Amino acid sequence: MRYGYWTPVFGGWLRNVADEGMEASWDYTKRLTQRAEQIGYDLTLIAELNLNDIKGVEQPALDAWSTAAALAAVTETIELMVAVRPNFHHPALFAKAAANIDRIAGGRLALNVVSSWWADEAKQYGLQFDEHDDRYARTAEWLTVVDGLWTEERFSFAGQFYRTENAICAPKPAKRPTVYAGGESEKAKTLIAAQCDAYVMHGDPVDAIAPKIADMAARRQAAGGAPMHYGMAAYAIVRDSEAEAQRELERITTVTDLPAGYANFDQWLSGTQLERDLKIQEYSVSNRGLRPHLVGTPEQLRQRIADYEGVGLDLLLLQMSPQAEEMERFAAQVIGTA
């Protein structure tokens, strides 16, 4: 299993805990990432939203790509998986900038391609927001252009959304960045099986993740691609006793008043094609992070992680709070003895 964590670009992950002691700042992010390398984390996922989806839109949110470029220069081993939304980035210009960041990082850049879901954000920034199927059609073209510029000396393309004429990208990436993507609609799965390298999923129990991996592996084989990697989001709580872990779980999931971020969560629920409804309790943690139930003692977490490995999962994308302290605990008690 590879262990990744979400960079806290929103100043935390708990929608109903106002201050988690992890400010949305460059200083905190730099120190956290440098320490993560030292204690065994393989990857960090840097989310891309211009508005704060967790704490409310008025609160600070770090820009993903300038943060990634800065981290590339001050880290040595950690993979930087940076979210990118095609409707926010022209593919040819993006390919050039991302190649440069990958050079700075020495080949450690990866993409998490997200076909957008937040219509109000796009409207605020004056950007195109397509209907669901058109978003994936745009993403397919976008990936074609980016990959073409990374792999060919000159690249021309004429599509519905994008055009290039003998475009040059030099220098190219130190190595072709891994392309991760997630989605549960038929359009999303078809695109990912054909054009991406790894499939990332919202949190779910093992018996729900196993058929998802099997389905994507079959789609990938039919598309003629190399075997994919599989990642999953999860929120982790590790304590010396199960009772302590359950008390922490109760603390973070007790919702009294719905805070500022709820409106954005409600819009997300109505704007995506999830395979089953989210329960209101899951509002407290994003990306269905509580469903894997990585909550308990080190021994319990190691067993659950082994169960996921057994069905083909090879990357955990973890959220914790407060992040620096909880990542230290998880590294010492779970990663260090795995």
Side-chain angles (χ1 to χ4, degrees), residues 5-314:
Y5 69 94
W6 295 61
T7 293
V9 296
F10 304 123
W13 300 112
L14 302 177
R15 289 191 171 101
N16 54 317
V17 176
D19 184 1
E20 301 175 57
M22 41 198 281
E23 64 180 9
S25 71
W26 163 243
D27 181 64
Y28 184 88
T29 298
K30 179 180 69 172
R31 289 186 286 108
L32 185 72
T33 311
Q34 290 174 331
R35 181 60 180 162
E37 287 189 318
Q38 297 170 357
I39 59 177
Y41 290 91
D42 302 290
L43 176 151
T44 185
L45 168 56
I46 306 172
E48 181 185 51
L49 285 174
N50 295 299
L51 302 177
N52 194 319
D53 174 46
I54 303 297
K55 300 300 184 182
V57 297
E58 303 296 332
Q59 299 304 310
L62 297 182
D63 172 70
W65 281 91
S66 56
T67 299
L71 286 174
V74 298
T75 56
E76 297 179 356
T77 61
I78 200 161
E79 182 178 338
L80 303 171
M81 184 211 291
V82 193
V84 57
R85 293 174 297 165
N87 61 321
F88 278 49
H89 301 267
H90 188 282
L93 299 177
F94 172 85
K96 175 75 173 176
N100 197 51
I101 294 172
D102 187 66
R103 287 276 174 175
I104 295 168
R108 292 182 288 118
L109 182 68
L111 308 185
N112 176 29
V113 179
V114 181
S115 295
S116 293
W117 56 267
W118 199 349
D120 282 355
E121 183 199 29
K123 181 179 179 181
Q124 284 191 31
Y125 284 83
L127 295 165
Q128 177 68 29
F129 188 82
D130 304 310
E131 294 301 316
H132 181 272
D133 288 1
D134 285 341
R135 296 205 296 272
Y136 285 98
R138 177 185 294 277
T139 297
E141 285 193 11
W142 190 92
L143 283 168
T144 298
V145 173
V146 170
D147 202 54
L149 281 161
W150 281 347
T151 57
E152 299 184 21
E153 293 305 313
R154 288 180 176 269
F155 184 72
S156 296
F157 180 82
Q160 177 185 355
F161 300 98
Y162 302 110
R163 296 180 61 89
T164 64
E165 296 182 11
N166 292 320
I168 297 170
C169 178
K172 297 192 181 302
K175 71 172 186 61
R176 181 185 171 277
T178 300
V179 178
Y180 299 79
E184 296 181 344
S185 69
E186 186 64 25
K187 287 283 187 182
K189 292 175 181 178
T190 299
L191 168 71
I192 293 164
Q195 293 185 261
C196 300
D197 307 302
Y199 184 52
V200 289
M201 295 164 279
H202 295 302
D204 261 322
V206 173
D207 61 0
I209 291 296
K212 292 174 187 281
I213 291 177
D215 174 62
M216 286 302 296
R219 290 171 184 264
R220 181 65 161 188
Q221 186 175 26
M228 301 185 78
H229 294 284
Y230 299 95
M232 181 187 71
Y235 188 92
I237 299 172
V238 58
R239 293 292 186 272
D240 293 334
S241 72
E242 189 172 1
E244 289 177 278
Q246 289 300 316
R247 283 196 294 271
E248 174 65 5
L249 177 63
E250 183 177 354
R251 181 185 76 85
I252 70 169
T253 56
T254 299
V255 179
T256 51
D257 299 321
L258 291 173
Y262 179 75
N264 311 324
F265 175 78
D266 189 51
Q267 182 183 139
W268 181 63
L269 281 178
S270 65
T272 58
Q273 296 183 1
L274 297 178
E275 293 178 349
R276 61 181 184 264
D277 292 338
L278 292 173
K279 293 179 284 188
I280 189 62
Q281 181 190 12
E282 292 176 335
Y283 164 71
S284 60
V285 171
S286 68
N287 300 94
R288 301 205 298 247
L290 293 176
R291 289 192 185 184
H293 198 60
L294 294 187
V295 177
T297 66
E299 295 77 17
Q300 288 173 321
L301 265 64
R302 288 197 294 272
Q303 181 56 59
R304 288 173 191 145
I305 291 167
D307 292 341
Y308 281 107
E309 284 184 310
V311 300
L313 193 77
D314 53 28

